[in-house]
Amino acid sequence: MDVSTRDGSPRRAVPPSAAGSGLHPDDLPDGLVVADRAGRVVCFNAAAARICGISPAEALGRPLESALPLEDLEGRRWWRLTDPYGGLATRSGQPERNLLLRGREVLVTARYVRTRPRGPVHRVVIGLRGTEARRRTERSHAELIATVAHELRSPLTSVKGFTATLLAKWERFTDDQKRLMLETVDADANRVTRLITELLDISRIDSGRLEVRRQPVDMPAAVRRHIEAHTAAGQPADRFVTRIRGPLPALWADPDKIDQILGNLLENAVRHGEGTVTIEVSPTASPRERDAAGTAVTVSDEGPGIPEESMSRVFTRFWRGSKRGGTGLGLYIVKGIVEAHSGRITVSRAAGGGAQFRFTLPVGAPAVLA
């Protein structure tokens, strides 16, 4: 492959596989470096230039080890260790690994191209990626661990304190005092159980393993059940307004997960919103549009609402609309559950000025047919 034009100026060579395909190396999102059979760089795309901090003109024509001076995390020269041109003839490349490039971490993978099995290396193709995405993932995991540790500490401390006190001084307390302490322990145990459930849901959502067991779901009845739970907990009944706009199509969904969605959205409206909480259930399309038929549920309040600049982050991990507690994981899980049902959820400003969440679910099919 030529590495210079007729006037002697360097240029980027295009690998033969890309010729005629309309694909240019600079179109690739990751860094691409190609060395010929002599170990000299013949392709160095724009992403590689950005990651390495040198221009293609500086890299083209130079020995691979010079243009790409990689080291392992112990400071050893990487190309001398791997010896792509003089090593075992059965090797086809190197899996992705974390290496150092001029003191900065990069993710590197390599492919050794041979014209025939066990023949000499004809070309070395190297892929380069920055570590920013991996670091963001690591920070997210660290933040999740810190949040979980913080949320678990309080209820577990309470459970431990009350149970230790009861065991040591059982006979000194009246029945009413014992009942109060045991009710507190029960409430804290429920809090721990909910947190563990959230963690399991996040794990399943992130890995794409969230299972949906579809059964017939009566959405209006589910909404009424959640409202009754809030009124039984002390909320005034006139704070809730329910509107059912029918007729509704038959809905096949996971009842437990629908309860999670409704429970989270109503709790957010009650805790973070103000005024009347309105829940509307309606069909998403006319009965004639069978392919588009489904159920839509809208939950809105009359509180301060969500700032416009925050709406894009509402369904991300750890987003909190206020400082009134919570892990900030609920809406992330809600979005994952809705999408597992092939549905969609959005957030906007309600007519009364508060937050408005709307999720839609397609009609679906029984679990045995899905």
Side-chain angles (χ1 to χ4, degrees):
M1 271 182 236
D2 295 334
V3 295
S4 63
T5 58
R6 290 183 179 179
D7 62 3
S9 61
R11 67 176 176 84
R12 263 164 287 187
V14 180
S17 58
S21 68
L23 175 67
H24 192 279
D26 287 349
D27 296 336
L28 300 175
D30 294 336
L32 173 67
V33 180
V34 181
D36 62 12
R37 69 181 67 196
R40 294 190 174 276
V41 175
V42 294
C43 181
F44 200 84
N45 73 348
R50 185 179 66 253
I51 293 170
C52 299
I54 62 173
S55 69
E58 294 177 88
L60 289 171
R62 290 170 61 182
L64 181 59
E65 185 174 351
S66 172
L68 206 61
L70 296 169
E71 297 178 347
D72 66 11
L73 299 183
E74 297 178 4
R76 296 175 295 183
R77 299 289 181 87
W78 180 245
W79 297 117
R80 294 182 184 177
L81 284 175
T82 56
D83 192 13
Y85 293 94
L88 293 174
T90 56
R91 290 187 306 171
S92 60
Q94 293 288 338
E96 186 176 75
R97 62 190 64 218
N98 210 4
L99 298 175
L100 296 176
L101 178 63
R102 300 182 178 91
R104 189 163 57 89
E105 291 186 7
V106 291
L107 298 172
V108 181
T109 185
R111 174 72 184 273
Y112 305 155
V113 180
R114 305 176 190 273
T115 55
R116 65 179 188 277
R118 303 178 67 87
V121 172
H122 180 70
R123 187 165 58 245
V124 175
V125 181
I126 301 103
L128 301 173
R129 288 196 297 133
T131 59
E132 293 80 6
R134 177 174 291 185
R135 290 189 181 279
R136 282 195 297 271
T137 301
E138 291 173 351
R139 282 196 298 270
S140 179
H141 289 165
E143 191 173 355
L144 178 61
I145 292 170
T147 299
V148 170
H150 175 76
E151 292 294 325
L152 284 174
R153 184 181 296 114
S154 177
L156 289 178
T157 299
S158 171
V159 168
K160 177 62 178 176
F162 278 120
T163 53
T165 301
L166 286 170
L167 287 171
K169 303 176 182 179
W170 178 267
E171 297 175 353
R172 299 186 187 182
F173 297 107
T174 65
D175 288 345
D176 288 341
Q177 290 172 324
K178 293 174 184 176
R179 176 178 292 278
L180 178 61
M181 285 191 279
L182 289 173
E183 287 175 348
T184 304
V185 168
D186 183 62
D188 285 332
N190 287 337
R191 182 177 165 188
V192 171
T193 301
R194 283 196 302 272
L195 180 59
I196 292 172
T197 300
E198 285 184 347
L199 292 175
L200 291 173
D201 286 337
I202 286 175
S203 173
R204 294 181 183 119
I205 289 169
D206 289 347
S207 63
R209 294 185 294 104
L210 186 66
E211 294 184 3
V212 174
R213 302 183 183 279
R214 296 180 184 271
Q215 301 174 35
V217 172
D218 186 339
M219 189 65 78
V223 169
R224 286 192 291 269
R225 189 167 60 249
H226 281 273
I227 291 175
E228 289 170 0
H230 280 283
T231 55
Q235 291 292 328
D238 59 2
R239 188 179 180 187
F240 301 93
V241 173
T242 305
R243 299 193 181 108
I244 310 297
R245 305 188 186 279
L248 297 171
L251 177 65
W252 290 82
D254 190 314
D256 292 336
K257 291 179 172 54
I258 295 302
D259 280 338
Q260 273 185 272
I261 296 171
L262 292 174
N264 194 289
L265 295 181
L266 283 172
E267 184 178 351
N268 278 350
V270 169
R271 179 186 296 180
H272 304 296
E274 297 173 3
T276 302
V277 176
T278 303
I279 305 97
E280 181 176 300
V281 183
S282 62
T284 58
S286 67
R288 295 179 182 178
E289 300 177 76
R290 293 185 179 181
D291 292 340
T295 300
V297 180
T298 304
V299 179
S300 56
D301 62 72
E302 299 174 339
I306 299 170
E308 192 72 29
E309 62 272 14
S310 298
M311 286 190 178
S312 61
R313 297 185 288 111
V314 165
F315 298 108
T316 59
R317 287 186 188 183
F318 311 117
W319 184 85
R320 294 181 178 88
S322 69
K323 297 181 179 179
R324 302 185 193 179
T327 60
L329 300 173
L331 290 174
Y332 176 81
I333 293 171
V334 164
K335 182 174 184 289
I337 293 174
V338 170
E339 291 179 348
H341 282 82
S342 300
R344 184 169 178 264
I345 185 166
T346 58
V347 60
S348 60
R349 184 168 292 277
Q356 176 174 286
F357 290 89
R358 184 176 191 268
F359 69 92
T360 58
L361 300 175
V363 168
V368 294
L369 300 177

